[in-house]
Amino acid sequence: MGLFNREEKKQRKRRIPATSFKMDGYREDFMDYESKFTGQPQRFGDARPVYTDLMADQDYDLLNNIYHKNGIAHKVVSKPAEDATRNGWRIIIPDDPKKQAQYQKALDDLDLKRVLCQELIYYRLHGDGYITYGIYGSGTNNATNKPLDPQIQEISKVAFVHAFGQNHVEKLIANTNPASPDYMKEAAVIISGTQSGDTVDSQGNIQSGNLSDNDKNIVIDKSRYSHISLDKLEDDSNGVSIVTRCWDQIHTLDTALYSVGKLLYAYSINVLSDDGAGDDLGFEDDPLTKQEFNLQNQALSENMGTDSVLNLHDGQTFQRYSVNVSGIDNLLLFAWQQLAAASNIPKSVLLGEQAGTLAGATTDVANYYDGVKSMQEELLRPQLERIIQLLMWSTDVAGGSEAPDTIEWKLEFNPLWTPDAKTMSEINYTDTQAEVLKVNSGIEDTDDALQNLAGQNNNLSQSMENKIDSIDDISIEDAEKMMNDLKEVIGHAKTRSPD
């Protein structure tokens, strides 16, 4: 029969890999194995790793399950998000410390460290992260689908900032025309499938929150939310999860954990060779039935322990076999290096091996923190500055509404690491010496030097942080004493400085 005369084969039903099933409640033997569902063994590594539906069309429920149940995936997702938000940020208003403290308190009341950390987790887990601004104003249309222009609409306060992911986003309205000046700019986001919270009536009965007609589709205008995407290209409707990018590496480590666990279980095996001694145990002559075989093995191993004594008969030999694990550490190291390369998180950070402060860190760890700093600047800074501007437009914050352009202010992120007392003292001394040189050179006067030293409240030492934050609690007498003490420090420094 010729090649073109072959009988057409029947189309087989496509096998759904086990890894595409949602892991609700528990999982069997880690993230693998396809053989549990097909009856046809297919081990990870026999061929090119299987691309599941997760690769083509992200299943956000599956991603959430993997994030909750796999410790490695959890760390890859959450570690940079936690590092970027852990130490927080500060608003600096050099000319008005009191107003600075009021705006800082308004920022802190919004719980932004937790909210922005959650947004970055969604950004890495789903590929997309959102925050929405709860903006209220008297006489203003507070509908979320209405554009907001604080220059012409009065804002009373920013009531909340909430983070959410891609799971309930129905559609993202954006301009995809490259010839348009608004190319890739978003106009609105549509959210569906939301549910109101449960309530309790006067009798103590819990009333479950249900979908209402008003909540089925929620439209949020771009002026009322912010959106960040991971690895999103021109024709992509959504960002790409870091779990999707690192799927093969996470799968390999998960398989390695499974394999090492099985290896440890059978690391040492005791073998008793018996040449016809089964009769002494009351069994029939060989060949033994499966049941007799199991009973014999149970009888022989029942009392095996570290203090066991074997009394061997003629025809019996005992031997202990141990698994040779030489070189397995290199295999596991390779798997971790692959994950570090795919996730852009050094192995020492993933495993928590690095000790000490950043000053003594290796180059790869320093590069990692540079990446975290870049994430702060590129993703968090525009959102935080937007929130600060909304707070400045609000009538209920810091004495009333004012245009952000009329205030000299800036946003600074707190350091990603905390220096020890010796380092802080050296930085304080260096700052003071620098101001003394400026005064001696005639670049600035003493009052300007004092103001600059007080404005160094966001450098690595943060020496004046407590003083600025608690300015409302300092009396005039204490403030004058602080000023005299600073003048005395500068005076002593002048006498020690070379001419």
Side-chain angles (χ1 to χ4, degrees):
M1 184 168 56
L3 176 65
F4 297 99
N5 295 326
R6 290 180 181 176
E7 184 178 344
E8 184 178 352
K9 294 182 179 180
K10 296 181 179 179
Q11 286 286 343
R12 293 190 306 171
K13 185 177 181 181
R14 187 176 71 90
R15 183 175 61 84
I16 301 177
T19 44
S20 67
F21 284 82
K22 297 182 178 62
M23 297 177 290
D24 294 328
Y26 73 101
R27 64 184 185 188
E28 296 184 17
D29 288 345
F30 303 88
M31 296 161 64
D32 225 356
Y33 289 93
E34 287 82 356
S35 59
K36 293 181 180 299
F37 295 87
T38 65
Q40 179 181 358
Q42 180 177 349
R43 296 175 299 172
F44 180 79
D46 282 352
R48 178 70 175 88
V50 178
Y51 277 93
T52 70
D53 293 338
L54 175 66
M55 306 296 128
D57 187 12
Q58 292 186 150
D59 186 336
Y60 298 109
D61 289 332
L62 175 60
L63 289 171
N64 291 343
N65 273 277
I66 294 175
Y67 174 74
H68 289 311
K69 295 179 172 65
N70 186 282
I72 297 174
H74 186 282
K75 191 159 192 175
V76 168
V77 170
S78 62
K79 177 63 176 172
E82 293 170 353
D83 288 340
T85 56
R86 180 178 58 246
N87 289 344
W89 38 80
R90 296 174 57 79
I91 179 175
I92 305 298
I93 305 179
D95 298 335
D96 197 337
K98 182 177 181 180
K99 183 175 292 186
Q100 171 182 314
Q102 293 173 337
Y103 280 122
Q104 185 65 46
K105 183 178 183 304
L107 276 177
D108 296 339
D109 290 343
L110 292 174
D111 196 16
L112 292 180
K113 288 174 62 175
R114 179 190 61 80
V115 173
L116 294 183
C117 179
Q118 187 62 48
E119 182 200 17
L120 290 176
I121 288 176
Y122 281 129
Y123 159 77
R124 296 179 62 81
L125 178 59
H126 291 175
D128 295 272
Y130 303 81
I131 56 172
T132 179
Y133 312 117
I135 304 170
Y136 295 156
S138 59
T140 303
N141 191 344
N142 294 319
T144 59
N145 62 337
K146 300 296 183 182
L148 174 72
D149 186 355
Q151 297 186 18
I152 60 176
Q153 295 172 270
E154 182 181 292
I155 298 176
S156 61
K157 64 178 180 178
V158 181
F160 60 82
V161 178
H162 292 161
F164 61 97
Q166 190 67 28
N167 209 15
H168 292 282
V169 174
E170 184 72 20
K171 185 176 178 59
L172 188 66
I173 303 175
N175 188 327
T176 58
N177 180 10
S180 171
D182 295 328
Y183 175 60
M184 296 303 292
K185 292 184 179 179
E186 300 175 16
V189 62
I190 301 176
I191 303 174
S192 64
T194 60
Q195 180 174 316
S196 57
D198 296 343
T199 58
V200 180
D201 60 20
S202 59
Q203 304 299 322
N205 299 316
I206 298 177
Q207 306 293 332
S208 298
N210 298 317
L211 292 173
S212 66
D213 293 335
N214 295 330
D215 294 334
K216 286 182 179 180
N217 286 300
I218 300 174
V219 179
I220 305 179
D221 185 78
K222 184 60 180 73
S223 59
R224 300 176 183 268
Y225 78 93
S226 293
H227 173 213
I228 52 178
S229 291
L230 178 65
D231 293 343
K232 183 177 180 179
L233 301 180
E234 180 182 12
D235 294 328
D236 295 335
S237 57
N238 304 111
V240 180
S241 169
I242 191 70
V243 176
T244 301
R245 184 202 301 173
C246 302
W247 178 259
D248 287 347
Q249 290 77 14
I250 295 174
H251 198 173
T252 299
L253 282 170
D254 204 68
T255 304
L257 180 60
Y258 175 83
S259 301
V260 171
K262 300 288 285 188
L263 185 65
L264 293 176
Y265 183 75
Y267 181 75
S268 181
I269 302 175
N270 299 325
V271 178
L272 178 63
S273 301
D274 191 343
D275 186 10
D279 295 338
D280 298 334
L281 298 174
F283 297 109
E284 298 177 0
D285 294 337
D286 290 334
L288 301 176
T289 65
K290 183 176 181 180
Q291 181 180 3
E292 290 174 332
F293 181 78
N294 291 335
L295 290 174
Q296 179 178 349
N297 285 338
Q298 181 180 353
L300 292 174
S301 61
E302 195 170 39
N303 295 319
M304 289 297 295
T306 56
D307 58 347
S308 300
V309 177
L310 289 179
N311 183 14
L312 300 179
H313 299 283
D314 292 339
Q316 290 183 330
T317 58
F318 176 81
Q319 199 168 3
R320 184 187 298 273
Y321 293 93
S322 296
V323 179
N324 184 7
V325 295
S326 176
I328 194 172
D329 53 341
N330 292 329
L331 295 175
L332 296 177
L333 176 61
F334 171 76
W336 280 109
Q337 288 173 338
Q338 286 292 310
L339 179 62
S343 64
N344 204 25
I345 303 176
K347 181 175 69 71
S348 55
V349 175
L350 286 170
L351 298 179
E353 295 175 348
Q354 188 65 41
T357 62
L358 184 59
T362 56
T363 302
D364 58 345
V365 177
N367 290 336
Y368 164 74
Y369 279 103
D370 286 342
V372 174
K373 185 68 176 176
S374 176
M375 181 186 298
Q376 290 179 331
E377 293 294 330
E378 295 178 9
L379 303 179
L380 298 185
R381 177 176 292 278
Q383 299 182 0
L384 285 167
E385 290 181 346
R386 168 66 172 168
I387 295 172
I388 292 174
Q389 291 171 355
L390 292 174
L391 290 174
M392 290 180 174
W393 284 111
S394 301
T395 58
D396 296 348
V397 180
S401 175
E402 51 190 338
D405 295 339
T406 63
I407 307 173
E408 182 183 354
W409 64 278
K410 64 178 180 178
L411 174 71
E412 294 289 345
F413 288 94
N414 292 333
L416 297 174
W417 63 286
T418 303
D420 53 24
K422 180 180 178 181
T423 304
M424 292 176 63
S425 298
E426 292 174 351
I427 293 174
N428 285 335
Y429 179 76
T430 302
D431 291 339
T432 303
Q433 287 291 90
E435 295 302 325
V436 169
L437 290 175
K438 292 179 183 179
V439 172
N440 292 340
S441 302
I443 298 176
E444 60 185 18
D445 56 23
T446 304
D447 293 335
D448 291 335
L450 293 172
Q451 184 176 357
N452 289 337
L453 286 175
Q456 295 291 334
N457 57 353
N458 198 58
N459 60 12
L460 293 179
S461 65
Q462 296 186 18
S463 56
M464 300 297 176
E465 179 178 351
N466 293 334
K467 296 180 179 63
I468 296 299
D469 284 344
S470 57
I471 192 69
D472 289 335
D473 300 328
I474 298 178
S475 62
I476 297 178
E477 292 77 9
D478 291 337
E480 292 177 348
K481 184 178 184 303
M482 289 168 54
M483 185 70 70
N484 293 331
D485 291 341
L486 288 173
K487 289 181 178 179
E488 185 177 352
V489 170
I490 293 179
H492 287 309
K494 283 182 178 180
T495 59
R496 293 195 303 268
S497 61
D499 295 334

